[in-house]
Amino acid sequence: MPNNIVFNDVAEQLKTKIYGDNGGVTTPIKTSSDGSVSMTATDLDIRDLSADTDSVTVTATDLDIRDLSADTDSVTVTATDLDIRDLSADTDSVTVTATDLDIRDLSADTDSVTVTATDLDIRDLSADTDSVTVTATDLDIRNLSGDTDSIIKAGNLFTASNATLTDITDTGIAMTIDNSEQDVYSFYVNNTGSAAVSVKLQISPTDNTDYFIDDGSSEVSVGAGEKATLVAQKYLRYTRLFYNASGTATIETYYNAHA
């Protein structure tokens, strides 16, 4: 109160008690055992923080106790779908730019790189639309020499075709063959009908029917149930089998060749 005189003038014995107003009720201020003012609150913020509208910013330098050291410290980040959404091969891409990303430059003496993949191309290669080109000079260990080297042909490319003509009664052509890539070829006739058939070979430089002529070999008569083989006496690109049935007949014809 004003103008009151303090009669105790010993500083160590001078003490003051602090009160506060709690809704109109005077209440002593609470302290801890060491004299520190205690403060207790529930929902100290005006409202609960919202992830949609609120944020907390922390600004610090060397927030760790000490600077991290590459020799003794490590940082591990563990997360599932750390991105906002799963990456999509249709819309997303990841780009890594680096120089000497390996610890050291790779050495041809000590290092190797192995790539293992299935269908590494975007799609399977197609024989109809794709091609593979190999360009090389002296792909063999050395140039081949006529004095010391030789090439041996092993095996032959074999070609065959056949046709069956049923109930033939007149002349006609059994088959026309392009034999430009064959060096040995022949025709075989099997008469499975009841009437005899005469057959012969004709040759031509084109497949135009007006150009065909007899090849020079004799015409062969194949009786019912009989068989015959015909070989061209002269060579032109195309060869065909000509037949002439003496009655209603059926024949099987075969062409065999190799290159």
Side-chain angles (χ1 to χ4, degrees):
M1 297 177 60
N3 299 320
N4 284 341
I5 299 175
V6 178
F7 295 99
N8 188 346
D9 58 359
V10 180
E12 289 80 0
Q13 297 179 358
L14 291 176
K15 297 183 180 179
T16 301
K17 193 168 186 177
I18 303 174
Y19 292 80
D21 183 274
N22 183 14
V25 178
T26 301
T27 304
I29 299 300
K30 182 179 179 181
T31 64
S32 61
S33 59
D34 61 357
S36 301
V37 177
S38 297
M39 182 177 295
T40 303
T42 302
D43 293 336
L44 187 59
D45 56 327
I46 301 175
R47 55 178 171 72
D48 290 339
L49 293 177
S50 168
D52 298 327
T53 58
D54 301 311
S55 62
V56 177
T57 302
V58 177
T59 303
T61 301
D62 292 338
L63 188 60
D64 54 322
I65 300 174
R66 56 177 173 73
D67 290 340
L68 293 177
S69 168
D71 297 329
T72 58
D73 302 312
S74 63
V75 177
T76 302
V77 177
T78 303
T80 302
D81 293 336
L82 189 58
D83 55 322
I84 300 174
R85 56 177 172 71
D86 290 340
L87 293 177
S88 168
D90 297 328
T91 58
D92 302 310
S93 63
V94 177
T95 302
V96 177
T97 303
T99 301
D100 293 337
L101 189 59
D102 54 320
I103 300 174
R104 56 175 173 74
D105 289 340
L106 294 177
S107 168
D109 297 330
T110 58
D111 303 311
S112 64
V113 177
T114 301
V115 177
T116 303
T118 301
D119 293 337
L120 189 59
D121 55 323
I122 300 174
R123 56 178 172 71
D124 289 339
L125 292 177
S126 167
D128 297 328
T129 58
D130 302 310
S131 63
V132 177
T133 302
V134 177
T135 303
T137 302
D138 292 337
L139 190 58
D140 54 321
I141 300 175
R142 56 177 173 74
N143 291 331
L144 295 177
S145 168
D147 298 328
T148 58
D149 302 311
S150 63
I151 298 176
I152 300 175
K153 176 183 177 183
N156 296 283
L157 177 64
F158 179 79
T159 301
S161 60
N162 66 281
T164 299
L165 289 80
T166 304
D167 297 333
I168 55 177
T169 59
D170 204 346
T171 61
I173 304 301
M175 55 176 59
T176 301
I177 303 295
D178 180 355
N179 44 251
S180 58
E181 296 183 358
Q182 281 75 44
D183 54 9
V184 177
Y185 56 92
S186 60
F187 289 80
Y188 172 91
V189 179
N190 180 20
N191 187 346
T192 60
S194 57
V197 177
S198 295
V199 292
K200 62 181 178 180
L201 296 182
Q202 296 180 332
I203 57 176
S204 172
T206 77
D207 59 355
N208 187 327
T209 188
D210 295 335
Y211 283 77
F212 279 90
I213 60 173
D214 294 346
D215 78 322
S217 59
S218 301
E219 186 171 344
V220 178
S221 178
V222 185
E226 294 182 353
K227 305 171 183 63
T229 301
L230 294 86
V231 178
Q233 300 300 304
K234 297 180 180 179
Y235 176 85
L236 284 176
R237 177 173 181 177
Y238 291 90
T239 305
R240 70 183 186 181
L241 180 68
F242 176 88
Y243 66 83
N244 184 7
S246 61
T248 302
T250 298
I251 61 173
E252 295 176 346
T253 61
Y254 292 83
Y255 171 81
N256 285 181
H258 73 72

